[in-house]
Amino acid sequence: MTNVVLDTSAILALLKGERGASKVAGVIADASVCAVNQAEVISHFVHLGAPLEDIQAMLGALPYTVVPADDALAWEAGGLRSVTASAELSLGDRFCLALAKRLGVTTYTADKAWRDIASEAGVKVVLVR
């Protein structure tokens, strides 16, 4: 069962052992991640030079559920543009928020700017650091 949605920054904090990793570790077994955010994590490690096979093994060991980005989620994420523009959130950020909104759960992020738009976006946000 999904109780939280993880943002890319929260997953990276966990995988890189950064501040906030323990908060993410505490909820990861009951978490979901949008496929768009999964792609951002993969892209991050590809940019660092990691082989795809290693990235796949690393992410495959994590117990979260990856949720596809469907048409309805795309509309929700796109519609959040006006709400999130002032905080300069990315498309991936909006997909994460849209998924949390769809599931009616809290989202975990390391991005402090989310605090400013959470209420207007209709999503509860937990900052991991």
Side-chain angles (χ1 to χ4, degrees), residues 30-85:
D30 298 318
S32 286
V33 175
C34 181
V36 173
N37 301 104
Q38 179 85 333
E40 287 183 321
V41 173
I42 294 164
S43 178
H44 174 83
F45 287 104
V46 166
H47 180 71
L48 293 177
L52 281 177
E53 301 79 29
D54 292 353
I55 300 167
Q56 188 172 29
M58 176 178 58
L59 296 182
L62 298 178
Y64 57 68
T65 301
V66 178
V67 178
D70 60 23
D71 189 54
L73 198 61
W75 279 97
E76 184 68 38
L80 286 170
R81 174 66 186 223
S82 61
V83 173
T84 62

